[in-house]
Amino acid sequence: MTFETSVELLKFHNVAYTVYAMLIISVIAWFAYNLTREKKAEPIVRIPFYLYIGFLVAMGVGHHIFTYNTIPWVSEDIMRHNITPDKTFQIKMANHKFDMPEKMEIKKGEKVLFDAHSSDLVYGFGLFRQDGSMISQMQVNPGSRNDLLWTFNECGEFDVRSTEYAGPAGNAMFVKKVVIVTGCDKKGA
Amino acid sequence: MSFKMNLMEGTNFNASSLTALQKVTLRAVVMSFLFYGLAAIEGTLMRVALVNPSIPPIHGAPEHFFSIMTVHPIIGIFGSTYQLVFAAFMFLIPFLTKKPLYSVGLANFVWIMITIGSALAWIAAFIWSYAPLYTLYWPLPADTAQFNVIGGIVFIIGVALIMIGTLGFIYNIYATIFAKVGVHANKTTKELLISGFGIDGMLNLVHKLTGKPPYSKEPALSLPVVAIFRGTVDTFLDALVILGAGILVLVYLLADVSGASWDVHAVDALLYKNFFWWGLDLVADGLVLIYVAGSWYLLATLITGQKLFMENVARAALLLELFVSWMVWSHHLLADQGQPEMMKLISGEMVTMFELLTQGLALFITLMTLWKARPLKMTMELKYLLAGLLGFGLAVPAAIIQADMGMNRILHNTQWIIGAHVHVALLTGLYMTLYSVVYVLWPLLTNNTKLFSMKFANAHFYLHLIGSVGMGAFMGMAGLEGMLRRHFYMDGEYQTFMILAAIAAIMMVVAWVIFMANIIMSVGLKGLVGIFLPASDDTATFGIDPQPSVVVSQKK
């Protein structure tokens, strides 16, 4: 299984966590019911202790391994210093304002580096779809390297919003339809 | 008894019969629930403002919205949970070790410091709209162009007082645990330390595997005391970090008042963030996870009257949590590109994963202890304990999902983390556990005062449980659709989720009103006042021979 876009991953995650939540609620409810019964209840499944421990470790580690192999941006992010981007956009942030190109035009599949700098506070740089869902984001610290390498596998017009609180004025750090991705056979989100 | 009589006199509560230890515990509990109510109202205001931004007192102003958001966790975490946990433990340590509390005077100092400190932080936000949020990302807290300097100073002094009170609590706990009196008269400090860190549990497991006789058949400290000691180590480090950060901010603010303009960029923002999150994360691990595990163990043994299942494993897990809780902070910085990748991978992803193991173990051990003692009566304390277990069963995996370099790209700073993880962990997991502790301690603290209404107690339970899980779920769903956690949406975005979350929040406020009504009708207004009057009996322990000679010698 491979997720090309964050929408696919979020949908999968939504279903997986909902199933888990229902499961744990059911287990505790079943447990509570049987705790009070006079008749000795037998567990439906007898889970040996070491199997349970193994399950917890497998779930924790497996979750990270699963996402590393199925989400393209993880390996790309770790290796980004060795990857030559197809395009680089400079983003400057100061005084609760973005200073960036009016339109950032990208072709589907291009590796794009968003190189952000803050000269005063801690901000965030987030890419969002028109329905408000998040494509990706990073924190932007003053005095640090803040470079987000991203490959767009979907087309459309995307917004940029600061994803970190930098004071009440930061609420207005929102630029509509500034990233335009083209080159899809069928228009994305 | 008429309603008016009940309101004034309570059921059968007599404040003048309480000892000094009972009174100081109840004082902190009362303050804790008052602050809880304030935090609940603040939270509900924010939830409703995200449905209708123009509601008073916010009136569509981000300044006011964020000032509420700044004090909400200060009031909720420090004003409420710290007070409640500290009160319970300052009562339980003497109860469990059969020794008197080191100092009732210091215990009084603790609740007064935390109360004044929380109130000052609240006033700073209310009057001066000081709003750097609890994260205080550098240089935001020292940004005098955005925030009023006096407001900042008052806020930081408030937080500093909370931390000074916290250090007082820690000193009181350590001094009580390590006092060579009563059952510990013949124990050495080394024995107490080995037990306190859970090393004896680990050695017992190793000896079992190697076929040697047990290292210690009778550990020096009981398991809940070990959990309290272990958690207090983290709380101590956390207090030092927050106090250190506060002093740094205060130096800049005072410099500004004096007319000097210091360069805020002399402090590295990313380094500060690492330092701050290292300390702040110890609140989550030191306060919540370890204290909660200890509370579960205590509750399971008290409810069942039996020994804890797999006690050595539980002790060893608390030792493991020592290393885990100190090394997990980097999961807060997975979206910081300047953070070294190895730190993100090892601390942020891999070590954080162990929270699933340590908390999963605590859940398993508690459930097994209960299961082996069935059939049990579904008392209020058992009901709340099960709900607390459910809260962490939901919230810990929600955090592990976010503490992942892939998932973090699309979940960081969204409502997922604050809703599905933080609020479910605190409101369902921690508070339900604490309510269970309250119901267990109630007869001991109030000399068997009859609870006014069981119907009220049940209504509180269901409203709080459904409200807290519901609010966390709807906030989490909004987060999955991109809603940010530190943002004031004013154009009707995520309206459906926010309406549902606001309804759930209102359910929790109603639950709190019912709970408070039940408590006030049980102790009466006269009794409530009586709790704050000096105790005529200065006994500092409970349920055993008060050993007046020991109490007197400790006071000297």
Side-chain angles (χ1 to χ4, degrees):
Chain A
M1 190 192 299
T2 305
F3 300 103
E4 285 224 325
T5 69
S6 58
V7 172
E8 293 170 15
L9 177 64
L10 284 167
K11 277 183 184 161
F12 173 81
H13 164 62
N14 204 348
V15 173
Y17 186 77
T18 305
V19 169
Y20 168 76
M22 292 302 151
L23 198 67
I24 188 81
I25 291 169
S26 308
V27 167
I28 297 289
W30 177 89
F31 186 86
Y33 171 70
N34 281 294
L35 265 187
T36 56
R37 289 181 71 193
E38 285 295 330
K39 194 180 164 195
K40 196 175 175 185
E42 286 302 321
I44 298 168
V45 184
R46 193 173 287 278
I47 305 170
F49 175 68
Y50 290 105
L51 186 68
Y52 174 71
I53 297 299
F55 171 74
L56 289 178
V57 174
M59 285 301 287
V61 178
H63 168 62
H64 296 314
I65 294 170
F66 174 78
T67 55
Y68 185 86
N69 286 329
T70 54
I71 308 171
W73 61 80
V74 181
S75 51
E76 212 169 80
D77 190 38
I78 292 172
M79 300 304 294
R80 68 185 184 281
H81 56 283
N82 289 332
I83 299 170
T84 307
D86 297 311
K87 276 183 181 159
T88 299
F89 294 110
Q90 294 293 330
I91 320 287
K92 288 184 182 161
M93 300 159 88
N95 199 22
H96 299 103
K97 284 190 175 61
F98 285 106
D99 177 7
M100 58 188 173
E102 277 184 24
K103 295 285 173 200
M104 291 183 268
E105 293 180 355
I106 299 157
K107 290 235 166 10
K108 182 193 176 224
E110 280 185 331
K111 292 189 191 315
V112 185
L113 187 78
F114 296 97
D115 190 14
H117 298 269
S118 163
S119 52
D120 48 20
L121 300 161
V122 176
Y123 299 103
F125 175 82
L127 296 157
F128 292 84
R129 298 178 188 86
Q130 295 306 304
D131 63 3
S133 62
M134 194 190 284
I135 295 170
S136 188
Q137 52 78 43
M138 66 171 157
Q139 298 275 282
V140 181
N141 296 300
S144 293
R145 176 171 59 95
N146 313 287
D147 50 352
L148 177 68
L149 185 73
W150 197 259
T151 305
F152 286 86
N153 290 319
E154 58 194 305
C155 293
E157 293 175 311
F158 304 109
D159 306 334
V160 166
R161 191 192 278 275
S162 174
T163 52
E164 186 52 84
Y165 176 76
N171 216 48
M173 291 180 73
F174 183 33
V175 185
K176 296 277 295 173
K177 299 182 179 179
V178 65
V179 174
I180 299 154
V181 183
T182 55
C184 297
D185 296 334
K186 195 171 73 175
K187 200 177 178 185
Chain B
M1 196 184 278
S2 71
F3 173 83
K4 196 176 165 188
M5 272 287 282
N6 229 135
L7 180 65
M8 292 308 293
E9 305 290 339
T11 50
N12 59 332
F13 182 67
N14 180 9
S16 60
S17 71
L18 301 177
T19 64
L21 183 66
Q22 286 171 310
K23 279 206 170 187
V24 73
T25 307
L26 285 172
R27 285 168 194 160
V29 170
V30 170
M31 295 317 298
S32 163
F33 282 116
L34 289 176
F35 278 119
Y36 173 83
L38 179 58
I41 291 166
E42 284 172 345
T44 305
L45 273 177
M46 286 190 286
R47 298 261 66 80
V48 176
L50 287 167
V51 177
N52 177 10
S54 57
I55 61 144
I58 294 170
H59 298 299
E63 293 77 13
H64 203 146
F65 182 82
F66 288 115
S67 65
I68 294 176
M69 195 186 271
T70 296
V71 291
H72 175 64
I74 303 286
I75 299 298
I77 292 171
F78 297 123
S80 181
T81 57
Y82 260 47
Q83 295 244 37
L84 194 53
V85 168
F86 291 178
F89 290 170
M90 281 196 276
F91 181 81
L92 280 169
I93 288 291
F95 178 71
L96 294 165
T97 59
K98 298 183 171 38
K99 294 193 291 188
L101 185 70
Y102 170 73
S103 169
V104 171
L106 186 54
N108 271 309
F109 173 82
V110 170
W111 76 261
I112 291 169
M113 279 297 105
I114 296 178
T115 297
I116 296 173
S118 304
L120 282 179
W122 188 86
I123 287 166
F126 185 75
I127 295 179
W128 291 284
S129 291
Y130 184 67
L133 295 196
Y134 77 99
T135 41
L136 296 174
Y137 287 155
W138 193 263
L140 189 62
D143 184 359
T144 51
Q146 275 198 88
F147 301 122
N148 181 286
V149 182
I150 303 298
I153 291 171
V154 172
F155 183 88
I156 297 295
I157 289 173
V159 173
L161 291 182
I162 295 168
M163 292 305 127
I164 290 166
T166 303
L167 292 173
F169 158 77
I170 293 163
Y171 188 80
N172 222 358
I173 290 293
Y174 286 170
T176 308
I177 290 176
F178 289 103
K180 307 282 177 54
V181 294
V183 291
H184 294 149
N186 299 318
K187 299 284 179 195
T188 62
T189 305
K190 185 184 166 191
E191 284 174 311
L192 292 170
L193 272 173
I194 283 176
S195 194
F197 280 108
I199 297 168
D200 48 8
M202 183 69 85
L203 288 174
N204 272 350
L205 287 179
V206 172
H207 281 214
K208 193 178 173 186
L209 288 172
T210 53
K212 290 181 191 169
Y215 171 78
S216 165
K217 277 186 181 170
E218 292 295 329
L221 298 171
S222 67
L223 190 54
V225 179
V226 175
I228 294 169
F229 171 81
R230 230 329 262 120
T232 307
V233 174
D234 282 15
T235 312
F236 174 67
L237 295 171
D238 155 60
L240 291 186
V241 169
I242 296 180
L243 205 54
I247 291 168
L248 176 69
V249 178
L250 200 58
V251 166
Y252 270 89
L253 294 176
L254 289 173
D256 194 88
V257 170
S258 71
S261 180
W262 286 12
D263 182 10
V264 287
H265 294 105
V267 178
D268 185 276
L270 187 60
L271 192 64
Y272 175 90
K273 216 173 183 181
N274 271 284
F275 168 75
F276 195 65
W277 269 118
W278 183 76
L280 212 58
D281 200 68
L282 291 171
V283 175
D285 294 289
L287 175 74
V288 182
L289 295 189
I290 299 170
Y291 285 165
V292 161
S295 302
W296 289 350
Y297 299 152
L298 174 69
L299 289 164
T301 50
L302 288 178
I303 289 169
T304 60
Q306 291 183 11
K307 209 169 178 302
L308 194 78
F309 179 74
M310 298 181 77
E311 188 174 327
N312 280 323
V313 174
R315 286 175 186 271
L318 286 170
L319 177 64
L320 176 65
E321 184 66 38
L322 176 82
F323 301 105
V324 174
S325 68
W326 290 3
M327 290 175 66
V328 295
W329 83 96
S330 196
H331 62 248
H332 296 279
L333 291 103
L334 290 174
D336 290 73
Q337 300 296 78
Q339 184 79 341
E341 299 292 346
M342 282 310 284
M343 207 179 275
K344 289 189 196 179
L345 271 173
I346 294 170
S347 160
E349 279 198 358
M350 292 306 167
V351 184
T352 304
M353 180 277 296
F354 273 89
E355 301 283 13
L356 198 66
L357 190 67
T358 52
Q359 207 64 8
L361 264 176
L363 192 114
F364 184 84
I365 289 167
T366 311
L367 290 178
M368 281 304 291
T369 307
L370 297 172
W371 187 255
K372 284 168 82 73
R374 70 194 188 281
L376 294 168
K377 192 168 178 288
M378 191 52 74
T379 55
M380 288 313 295
E381 49 264 38
L382 178 56
K383 208 181 278 186
Y384 277 102
L385 173 60
L386 290 170
L389 293 165
L390 171 66
F392 281 97
L394 287 166
V396 174
I400 303 297
I401 288 167
Q402 200 262 356
D404 176 274
M405 289 177 73
M407 295 302 294
N408 193 264
R409 280 278 162 245
I410 47 178
L411 289 177
H412 184 87
N413 266 353
T414 66
Q415 296 269 343
W416 169 265
I417 192 68
I418 199 69
H421 170 52
V422 176
H423 279 88
V424 173
L426 287 174
L427 293 168
T428 316
L430 179 63
Y431 268 101
M432 285 305 205
T433 303
L434 290 176
Y435 280 123
S436 180
V437 173
V438 167
Y439 277 99
V440 165
L441 293 186
W442 174 263
L444 305 178
L445 284 171
T446 63
N447 293 340
N448 292 312
T449 295
K450 189 176 172 294
L451 203 60
F452 173 70
S453 166
M454 287 310 289
K455 280 183 183 163
F456 275 23
N458 276 306
H460 168 253
F461 173 80
Y462 286 109
L463 280 169
H464 185 94
L465 178 63
I466 297 167
S468 59
V469 174
M471 189 179 85
F474 296 126
M475 287 168 75
M477 288 173 199
L480 293 179
E481 297 200 1
M483 185 176 187
L484 296 171
R485 62 183 281 199
R486 296 169 185 147
H487 202 85
F488 188 25
Y489 291 89
M490 292 189 280
D491 297 320
E493 298 100 322
Y494 309 100
Q495 192 80 327
T496 308
F497 289 130
M498 288 304 100
I499 289 170
L500 294 168
I503 292 168
I506 291 166
M507 283 171 78
M508 279 187 288
V509 172
V510 174
W512 172 74
V513 171
I514 292 170
F515 175 78
M516 289 303 279
N518 207 13
I519 297 300
I520 292 168
M521 294 297 276
S522 300
V523 301
L525 290 175
K526 277 186 187 170
L528 205 57
V529 174
I531 288 169
F532 290 89
L533 298 176
S536 52
D537 181 349
D538 65 356
T539 304
T541 186
F542 182 84
I544 55 164
D545 176 4
Q547 295 176 303
S549 58
V550 175
V551 179
V552 171
S553 68
Q554 292 236 339
K555 279 182 181 166
K556 286 174 187 171

